[in-house]
Amino acid sequence: MLFGEEGQEQLQDATIFIAGAGGLGSPVSIYLAVLGVGTLIIADNDRVDQTNLNRQILYRDQDIGRRKAAVAGERLQEVNPDIMVKAVDATIDQHTVSSLTRDADGIVDALDDFPTRYLLNKAALEKEIPLFHGGISGFFGQATTILPGKTPCLRCIIPRPPPAEVFPVAGVTAGFIGLIQATEVCKYLLCRGDLLAGRLLLWDGMQGRIEEIPVETDPDCEACAGKYKGRS
Amino acid sequence: MKVTVRFFARFGELLGNNREIEAREGISVADLVKEAASGNKAGYDTIFDEEGAFRDFVIVMRNKKRIRTQDAGSIQVGEGDEIAVFPPVAGG
């Protein structure tokens, strides 16, 4: 076994919340399932649409019109019957975020809007669990891992929401960024390697280039300013 | 003096990814980026608002170090500097 018995047990004991079962949520959840993460909680409030199928690889043609949560739950359980999958048909908002993340050891940001991402960021800060961020558009993407108290939070890095995407996402971009997020989760749970902590990875698929930029805590951050003062 | 302006993602599609520019001494980061973007209205409008200020989601780096966009008008560009302009993306 690649991770040894101990590593596999660490994965088995973990609970990861995946916010969104769309372009990013599909590859993230499938790979965390086959990795053997013991409990996956995945939430989405949408139905499968034909236009999703170029990138949302949890779904097939015959799933069109069905609730994403229901299909995702079935598919992930098929992929790995030995893990627990809790697929929740819910909107992630200020009323539900706390209960959705209650048991999580980490949160994967697979959303497509920043106001809701900021709610996940707040939940991660409050619970002091990591937030694995990803964002995509066309052939472009970004990813970083937020460790509350140790790295800048999502709002330090991206303080104002970018406009909602009007460009379609290439399926391969969702796969690329989603697998970076899943790799981060894997490393975090196994305490191995160097996380994308304090670094924002930028992927330009059209140029075939990866860049990374260092990110810093914003002393005036709306979400975390003063919250972790004095901590490393 | 020679400087480089790098536009990422959508900005790069509209304005070109790497721009080598012969800039005048004393030019600010904000004015340099405006000049680099001035050839393409769609690109310019994606980065700057109606008042000519950076849109609030735009990330600007000078020599790999982030600068606050509200300070970019008063920070001077130096010989050989690399200015990077980056739009975070929101899709998932």
Side-chain angles (χ1 to χ4, degrees):
Chain A
M1 282 195 292
L2 179 59
F3 308 126
E5 214 165 287
E6 190 188 345
Q8 213 58 53
E9 280 175 16
Q10 286 172 301
L11 296 172
Q12 174 66 34
D13 290 343
T15 298
I16 294 293
F17 174 61
I18 303 165
L24 291 173
S26 289
V28 169
S29 62
I30 290 169
Y31 272 91
L32 293 185
V34 296
L35 193 64
V37 173
T39 304
L40 292 180
I41 305 168
I42 185 164
D44 204 295
N45 68 348
D46 207 357
R47 286 179 191 278
V48 180
D49 185 85
Q50 188 170 31
T51 60
N52 301 151
L53 300 183
N54 74 324
R55 64 195 183 283
Q56 301 187 14
I57 57 173
L58 276 168
Y59 315 114
R60 301 170 191 162
D61 202 63
Q62 66 259 34
D63 301 321
I64 290 169
R66 294 187 63 202
R67 304 297 298 177
K68 286 186 180 178
V71 183
E74 289 169 15
R75 200 115 314 142
L76 293 168
Q77 206 67 82
E78 282 168 20
V79 163
N80 189 345
D82 296 326
I83 62 167
M84 167 114 49
V85 179
K86 297 178 184 171
V88 187
D89 197 330
T91 303
I92 301 166
D93 59 26
Q94 57 183 337
H95 304 295
T96 60
V97 68
S98 180
S99 61
L100 287 168
T101 57
R102 184 182 301 132
D103 300 324
D105 300 308
I107 301 172
V108 177
D109 164 10
L111 296 172
D112 62 3
D113 77 282
F114 264 83
T116 315
R117 281 185 169 102
Y118 290 148
L119 291 177
L120 293 183
N121 182 55
K122 187 163 175 277
L125 291 170
E126 286 171 359
K127 291 176 59 65
E128 300 190 12
I129 57 173
L131 174 65
F132 304 95
H133 165 71
I136 49 177
S137 172
F139 281 87
F140 310 114
Q142 79 231 356
T144 190
T145 294
I146 287 142
L147 303 173
K150 293 182 179 166
T151 68
C153 80
L154 184 63
R155 197 127 202 186
C156 292
I157 301 170
I158 305 172
R160 296 285 172 267
E165 292 301 335
V166 291
F167 300 100
V169 170
V172 287
T173 309
F176 190 91
I177 296 295
L179 292 199
I180 288 171
Q181 292 176 282
T183 305
E184 290 292 290
V185 174
C186 176
K187 290 188 300 182
Y188 173 77
L189 294 177
L190 295 170
C191 303
R192 293 191 188 186
D194 289 324
L195 293 168
L196 272 175
R199 299 181 287 145
L200 181 65
L201 180 146
L202 309 175
W203 166 238
D204 182 335
M206 291 310 260
Q207 300 281 314
R209 285 183 202 281
I210 294 176
E211 308 260 349
E212 69 169 59
I213 59 177
V215 286
E216 292 175 1
T217 302
D218 177 358
D220 301 321
C221 175
E222 283 181 36
C224 75
K227 197 174 171 76
Y228 296 101
K229 199 175 177 184
R231 294 180 49 176
S232 61
Chain B
M1 61 181 176
K2 278 194 168 49
V3 296
T4 304
V5 180
R6 302 183 66 202
F7 293 108
F8 285 86
R10 179 77 182 141
F11 295 167
E13 285 192 321
L14 292 165
L15 297 163
N17 289 97
N18 285 307
R19 305 277 297 276
E20 303 280 335
I21 291 175
E22 189 63 42
R24 65 175 184 277
E25 297 289 334
I27 191 171
S28 69
V29 170
D31 285 343
L32 176 74
V33 176
K34 280 181 190 171
E35 285 186 15
S38 61
N40 180 303
K41 187 174 184 318
Y44 184 96
D45 290 345
T46 311
I47 297 174
F48 296 102
D49 66 17
E50 297 72 19
E51 274 91 50
F54 280 101
R55 294 192 183 276
D56 58 9
F57 66 90
V58 175
I59 293 175
V60 178
M61 314 275 295
R62 175 173 177 245
N63 298 332
K64 310 262 182 206
K65 176 110 178 139
R66 187 167 179 173
I67 59 175
R68 286 153 45 107
T69 49
Q70 54 267 50
D71 299 336
S74 55
I75 296 174
Q76 287 189 359
V77 179
E79 169 80 37
D81 274 2
E82 178 187 289
I83 308 298
V85 191
F86 158 64
V89 288

